[in-house]
């Protein structure tokens, strides 16, 4: 199954200068809880911003640059994202799409579930999550916190 996980503000802003424009420890704990012991996929720029792989996850890094390689056992490079996602659809394992904006946009047609943290307010952002229609999804859960709400959507069949 292909899932995605993202935090965005009220205008779908997700990043500023290569990182999140907010610091929400409870949401970071949610990200860890959901993705730990699963495969995650992100773009090269997002991976570079993290400086190293996240523990207890196998990380796929998508890029079109064929000279990109990483010296980590738990990291593999994906050069053809669409083919990779088509193949992953056949697997029983969950793959979490973790950004950035271009990767989210390309992955949306393959996504079967979304974990979206809706951050209250509007923040300075130079990167945005793609538009999506929540009517294509069933809202499974919505957990509210003072600064955000975590929504779990499953694609309607």
């Amino acid at each position: 199954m292909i899932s995605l996980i993202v935090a965005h503000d009220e205008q779908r802003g997700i990043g500023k200068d290569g990182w999140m424009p907010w610091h929400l420890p409870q949401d970071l704990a949610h990200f860890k809880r959901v993705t730990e012991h699963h495969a995650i996929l992100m773009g090269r720029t997002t991976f570079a911003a993290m400086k190293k792989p996240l523990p207890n996850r196998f990380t796929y890094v998508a890029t079109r640059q064929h000279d990109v390689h990483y010296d980590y056992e738990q990291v593999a490079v994906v050069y053809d994202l669409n083919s990779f996602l088509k193949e992953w659809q056949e697997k029983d394992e969950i793959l979490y799409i973790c950004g950035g904006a271009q990767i989210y946009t390309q992955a949306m047609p393959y996504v079967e579930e979304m974990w979206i943290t809706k951050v209250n307010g509007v923040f300075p952002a130079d990167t945005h999550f793609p538009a999506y229609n929540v009517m294509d999804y069933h809202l499974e859960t919505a957990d509210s916190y003072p600064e955000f709400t975590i929504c779990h959507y499953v694609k309607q069949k």
Side-chain angles (χ1 to χ4, degrees):
M1 175 183 359
I2 297 175
S3 181
L4 70 73
I5 188 163
V6 66
H8 70 63
D9 71 8
E10 293 174 10
Q11 292 184 344
R12 294 189 333 274
I14 60 173
K16 174 75 172 143
D17 299 326
W19 201 244
M20 294 173 284
W22 48 74
H23 179 68
L24 301 170
Q26 288 177 300
D27 183 52
L28 294 174
H30 158 73
F31 177 90
K32 179 180 179 180
R33 194 171 44 255
V34 169
T35 63
E36 197 165 37
H37 305 294
H38 292 287
I40 60 176
L41 174 111
M42 63 189 66
R44 180 186 48 77
T45 305
T46 301
F47 183 73
M50 294 188 330
K51 311 277 191 264
K52 62 181 181 176
L54 295 172
N56 302 317
R57 285 157 223 151
F58 191 91
T59 304
Y60 293 96
V61 179
T63 182
R64 290 186 207 102
Q65 297 178 4
H66 287 278
D67 60 343
V68 172
H69 302 281
Y70 299 101
D71 292 328
Y72 299 104
E73 276 185 38
Q74 67 273 34
V75 176
V77 179
V78 172
Y79 299 108
D80 183 345
L81 183 58
N82 286 326
S83 294
F84 177 81
L85 294 172
K86 284 178 188 174
E87 287 177 30
W88 198 282
Q89 283 182 307
E90 306 303 317
K91 295 185 178 191
D92 291 332
E93 300 171 65
I94 300 174
L95 173 69
Y96 287 96
I97 310 297
C98 301
Q102 290 179 12
I103 303 302
Y104 285 131
T105 298
Q106 280 188 265
M108 285 301 276
Y110 304 96
V111 169
E112 297 170 56
E113 90 176 337
M114 301 190 297
W115 291 92
I116 298 180
T117 298
K118 296 179 179 181
V119 180
N120 300 339
V122 176
F123 292 77
D126 55 21
T127 309
H128 291 80
F129 188 71
Y132 58 97
N133 184 353
V134 294
M135 301 307 288
D136 293 339
Y137 296 84
H138 170 71
L139 178 62
E140 290 285 309
T141 59
D143 297 319
S144 294
Y145 297 82
E147 297 171 293
F148 58 89
T149 301
I150 299 171
C151 298
H152 179 205
Y153 295 99
V154 175
K155 194 167 213 172
Q156 302 208 44
K157 305 264 180 195

